Amino acid sequence: MPAPATPVLDLSASSVDLTRALCDIPSVSGDERTITDAIEAALAASDHLELTRDGDALVARTDLGRDRRAVIAGHVDTVPINGNVPTRFETIDGREYLWGRGTVDMKSGVAVQLKLAAELVAPAVDVTWIWYDHEEVGEELNGLGRLARERPDLLRGDFAILGEPTRADVEGGCNGNMRVEVRARGLRAHAARAWVGRNAIHAAAPILDALAAYEPREVEVDGLVYREGLNAVGISGGVAGNVIPDECMVHVNHRFAPSRTGDEAEAHLREVFAGFEVTVVDRADGARPGLTSDVAREFVAAVGGDPRPKYGWTDVARFSALGVPAVNYGPGDPLKAHADDERVALDEIVSCERGLRAWLLGG
Amino acid sequence: MPAPATPVLDLSASSVDLTRALCDIPSVSGDERTITDAIEAALAASDHLELTRDGDALVARTDLGRDRRAVIAGHVDTVPINGNVPTRFETIDGREYLWGRGTVDMKSGVAVQLKLAAELVAPAVDVTWIWYDHEEVGEELNGLGRLARERPDLLRGDFAILGEPTRADVEGGCNGNMRVEVRARGLRAHAARAWVGRNAIHAAAPILDALAAYEPREVEVDGLVYREGLNAVGISGGVAGNVIPDECMVHVNHRFAPSRTGDEAEAHLREVFAGFEVTVVDRADGARPGLTSDVAREFVAAVGGDPRPKYGWTDVARFSALGVPAVNYGPGDPLKAHADDERVALDEIVSCERGLRAWLLGG
């Protein structure tokens, strides 16, 4: 029995209504217990699913003895609310939307998954459904990462689908993501006698020149073209208004195609910034598109449309690292994720539900 | 009568001992009342001086009807103490020093002035002695600036000597000082889709290139060669590790020869940084050397040595702005001002006392 405070989710409602119900349960990262309790309670009666709770992640598996197993996952947390709850319906230029925090990232995707998890008692492939916590915060807290470390058996499968927003298209894999600090050094002196010192900010000029001149590659990987990027995302330096600074740090973000390993990307950055101190502060390998297997091709055929590359890093890379090909597929425009006017087009929710159901029914 | 808590200063002590006594009265900017009370009390018995208290500044004037009047000034505040009180004597490579906060900047200069103010009841020129507050903090609080605004009559004279540290040499005038913010603008975007935005940090590359390539002038003014400077003293930009930044600000300090006005210097910077937003945040005109008048030449002859230019901006510019030629002359190495190992060579204190006495006695 759910505790009295646990909201009741009706999984037979439409995926749009279910999206709304999920959004109206606040679940900013770190505060996922209530929503995961609600999901667990709603699935408790589904005898075709074996439930495993791990912290505020919930895994629900079918065990039908199918040849192949799909892993279908989504996170239940959101970035902080900024005046954008409760949800409301809006019509813009004749298209209907559900507006509010979480509608895009990614409770509409979770709603589609939940509805189908309950409804499809005998899918054509075995399915491991995963709803997890802490996606919007630090790497070390990520619920899918925790499962990958502690229960990698639960992530095993032939193919994985992550419900991150893709406007209901299939977006394969993801770019790798790396952040480095590039430093120029100098020697402090009073600004009235600058010639006694060496100005570290002036010494950083070649770093900015290299960034401004850099031409990012476009790299085809398994038929999809990934666009790379190299960008300063921060710069700092300076001691006081009358002091020649002895350090200037340029914080650089690099997005690299999934055909390149993190080691290769790091070596590339050390070449671009030769002569400067380069410190890696964050590094996540990308994921290849995951579209070369039979099961992936069948999925794409069932949901329709042309697969595109995913530019942003997503948790598909965790599956990729375990040898499970993975794609992103979910309702919502990723440019509206985290936005104050976050809103999902209702037709994209319906489209994802239709696509996923078609594939799971063996279509 | 001094309040019971007012320390007693013995103005007949040696200028070295008097320096030590002054340093051992804490007087970080904003906390000058005690030291000014002590100075006022010590001079109360000097009938040849007319005292005027203004806040924590004290003006002491002779009125002997001399043809010429000298203004001799020094500030009584210090930058914050950093474990460097109480003072102690040190011998380094056979030279004796007084170590501690304020020994260089500038209680040794004040000690020499105080001793001579009390001792010389009939100097060859009329003298206006000024000891003032708040030199080490914001322009708007500066005690000499306050007097210049509210009691300009008290600053009037034919020649001014500021006791800032010069290693007991005469340093003429000072460079002008200006700070500007130079900004590059861009357009925010998610770092995974950098091509949607415009990176403001990359756009700032030409600002750093211009600074790195800049060759500062050396400019002769009234026989002294001033060395200019143009330096980034700070840089900032960035929103978050995954966002293309929309602004980058370079904080630039410019030191310009006193032959150039602030307007001319500003026009020069707008030319150097053409194409970027330039905002002046601080601006102080320099001061010409002040060595062309008869009284200045007599002063230099009396104290000996070759005058040099002052690179750093000092309050001599306030006299210069009032039409009073002014020089810097005081014990201590300016490179040790504000340093944790601030210390003054005792021979420089004695040398300044001797030089100033010689000139004031008509030598």
Side-chain angles (χ1 to χ4, degrees):
Chain A
M1 284 293 289
T6 301
V8 175
L9 294 171
D10 175 8
L11 303 188
S12 68
S14 75
S15 50
V16 167
D17 287 342
L18 191 51
T19 300
R20 190 168 198 192
L22 289 168
C23 290
D24 290 343
I25 303 172
S27 57
V28 174
S29 309
D31 194 20
E32 297 96 337
R33 179 174 300 180
T34 301
I35 197 166
T36 305
D37 283 351
I39 293 171
E40 188 174 4
L43 289 172
S46 296
D47 293 334
H48 64 294
L49 295 173
E50 183 191 351
L51 302 186
T52 305
R53 176 85 178 233
D54 181 285
D56 288 330
L58 184 72
V59 181
R61 289 161 54 95
T62 65
D63 192 8
L64 302 162
R66 306 289 194 229
D67 290 347
R68 297 178 300 190
R69 175 172 292 278
V71 185
I72 304 179
H75 64 85
V76 297
D77 60 320
T78 71
V79 295
I81 290 163
N82 192 16
N84 49 3
V85 291
T87 53
R88 61 171 184 256
F89 289 107
E90 287 183 342
T91 302
I92 300 173
D93 295 334
R95 196 176 186 192
E96 288 178 292
Y97 292 87
L98 180 65
W99 174 99
R101 175 63 77 230
T103 52
V104 168
D105 192 6
M106 54 166 280
K107 288 180 173 172
S108 51
V110 169
V112 166
Q113 295 170 354
L114 267 180
K115 181 171 178 58
L116 296 177
E119 172 188 318
L120 303 180
V121 296
V125 294
D126 267 313
V127 182
T128 302
W129 304 95
I130 303 178
W131 299 287
Y132 61 98
D133 54 294
H134 285 100
E135 193 270 348
E136 298 290 5
V137 286
E139 161 65 23
E140 67 285 2
L141 294 174
N142 185 293
L144 193 63
R146 184 179 69 242
L147 287 170
R149 279 192 306 275
E150 295 172 10
R151 295 293 308 272
D153 55 301
L154 292 177
L155 271 66
R156 219 159 279 149
D158 301 287
F159 183 54
I161 300 163
L162 194 67
E164 290 281 355
T166 61
R167 275 170 300 225
D169 290 326
V170 177
E171 293 190 351
C174 69
N175 267 328
N177 190 12
M178 180 176 294
R179 285 185 300 119
V180 299
E181 293 179 350
V182 186
R183 274 189 177 72
R185 302 278 184 186
L187 183 68
R188 282 193 200 185
H190 195 290
R193 291 174 203 82
W195 53 90
V196 176
R198 269 195 332 277
N199 194 312
I201 296 176
H202 299 192
I207 300 173
L208 299 199
D209 288 336
L211 286 165
Y214 189 85
E215 297 196 7
R217 303 186 306 164
E218 300 197 350
V219 184
E220 187 175 325
V221 183
D222 297 345
L224 299 186
V225 177
Y226 288 83
R227 214 164 156 174
E228 298 191 327
L230 184 66
N231 273 280
V233 289
I235 190 165
S236 61
V239 178
N242 60 354
V243 176
I244 302 302
D246 57 350
E247 182 178 323
C248 179
M249 189 276 280
V250 188
H251 186 179
V252 173
N253 181 279
H254 182 38
R255 307 288 175 142
F256 53 99
S259 52
R260 192 170 251 185
T261 66
D263 283 343
E264 289 166 346
E266 181 180 336
H268 175 61
L269 293 193
R270 291 191 183 279
E271 199 172 307
V272 170
F273 300 116
F276 294 96
E277 285 179 45
V278 175
T279 310
V280 177
V281 290
D282 198 19
R283 177 186 141 161
D285 282 19
R288 297 183 73 99
L291 295 170
T292 50
S293 64
D294 287 344
V295 59
R297 270 194 288 266
E298 289 164 24
F299 170 74
V300 170
V303 307
D306 288 324
R308 294 182 300 143
K310 186 79 176 171
Y311 295 126
W313 193 91
T314 75
D315 278 335
V316 294
R318 298 185 198 279
F319 290 107
S320 188
L322 291 170
V324 182
V327 299
N328 305 276
Y329 177 66
D333 179 348
L335 294 175
K336 290 290 183 197
H338 305 191
D340 291 343
D341 64 343
E342 183 171 351
R343 60 170 176 251
V344 64
L346 304 190
D347 60 89
E348 292 180 1
I349 302 178
V350 172
S351 168
C352 279
E353 180 190 336
R354 189 189 306 125
L356 207 52
R357 182 187 285 111
W359 179 61
L360 288 172
L361 289 177
Chain B
M1 283 291 289
T6 301
V8 175
L9 294 171
D10 174 7
L11 303 189
S12 69
S14 75
S15 49
V16 167
D17 288 342
L18 191 50
T19 300
R20 190 168 197 192
L22 288 168
C23 290
D24 290 343
I25 303 172
S27 58
V28 174
S29 309
D31 194 21
E32 298 95 338
R33 180 175 298 181
T34 301
I35 198 167
T36 305
D37 284 351
I39 293 171
E40 187 173 4
L43 289 172
S46 297
D47 292 336
H48 63 293
L49 296 173
E50 182 192 351
L51 302 186
T52 305
R53 176 86 177 233
D54 181 285
D56 288 330
L58 184 71
V59 181
R61 289 163 54 96
T62 66
D63 193 7
L64 301 162
R66 306 290 194 230
D67 289 347
R68 298 180 299 189
R69 175 172 292 277
V71 184
I72 304 179
H75 65 86
V76 297
D77 60 321
T78 70
V79 294
I81 290 164
N82 191 16
N84 50 4
V85 291
T87 53
R88 61 170 185 255
F89 288 107
E90 288 183 341
T91 302
I92 299 174
D93 295 334
R95 196 175 185 192
E96 289 179 291
Y97 292 87
L98 182 63
W99 174 98
R101 175 61 77 230
T103 52
V104 168
D105 192 7
M106 54 166 282
K107 288 179 174 174
S108 52
V110 169
V112 167
Q113 295 170 355
L114 268 179
K115 181 170 177 61
L116 296 177
E119 172 189 316
L120 303 180
V121 297
V125 294
D126 267 313
V127 183
T128 302
W129 304 94
I130 303 179
W131 299 287
Y132 63 98
D133 54 294
H134 285 100
E135 193 271 346
E136 298 290 5
V137 286
E139 160 66 23
E140 67 286 0
L141 293 174
N142 185 292
L144 193 64
R146 185 179 68 242
L147 287 169
R149 279 192 306 275
E150 296 172 10
R151 294 295 307 271
D153 55 302
L154 292 177
L155 272 64
R156 219 158 278 150
D158 300 287
F159 184 55
I161 301 163
L162 193 67
E164 289 281 355
T166 61
R167 274 170 301 228
D169 291 326
V170 177
E171 293 190 352
C174 68
N175 268 330
N177 190 11
M178 178 175 296
R179 284 185 302 119
V180 299
E181 293 178 350
V182 187
R183 274 188 178 73
R185 302 279 183 185
L187 182 67
R188 283 193 199 184
H190 195 289
R193 290 175 202 81
W195 54 89
V196 176
R198 268 197 331 277
N199 194 313
I201 296 176
H202 299 192
I207 301 173
L208 299 199
D209 288 336
L211 286 164
Y214 190 86
E215 296 196 7
R217 303 186 307 165
E218 298 197 352
V219 184
E220 186 174 326
V221 182
D222 297 347
L224 299 185
V225 177
Y226 289 82
R227 214 163 155 174
E228 297 190 329
L230 184 66
N231 274 281
V233 290
I235 190 165
S236 61
V239 178
N242 60 353
V243 177
I244 301 302
D246 57 350
E247 182 178 323
C248 180
M249 189 275 282
V250 188
H251 186 179
V252 174
N253 181 280
H254 181 39
R255 308 286 175 143
F256 53 97
S259 53
R260 192 170 251 186
T261 66
D263 283 343
E264 289 166 345
E266 182 181 335
H268 175 61
L269 293 193
R270 291 191 183 279
E271 198 172 308
V272 170
F273 300 115
F276 293 95
E277 285 179 45
V278 175
T279 310
V280 176
V281 291
D282 198 19
R283 179 186 141 162
D285 282 19
R288 298 182 73 97
L291 294 170
T292 49
S293 65
D294 287 346
V295 59
R297 271 194 288 267
E298 289 165 23
F299 170 75
V300 170
V303 306
D306 288 324
R308 295 182 300 144
K310 186 79 176 172
Y311 295 125
W313 193 92
T314 74
D315 277 336
V316 295
R318 298 185 199 281
F319 290 108
S320 187
L322 292 171
V324 182
V327 299
N328 303 278
Y329 178 66
D333 179 348
L335 293 177
K336 289 290 183 198
H338 305 191
D340 290 343
D341 64 342
E342 182 171 351
R343 59 171 178 252
V344 64
L346 304 190
D347 60 88
E348 292 180 2
I349 303 178
V350 173
S351 168
C352 278
E353 180 190 336
R354 189 190 305 123
L356 208 52
R357 183 188 283 109
W359 179 62
L360 288 172
L361 289 177

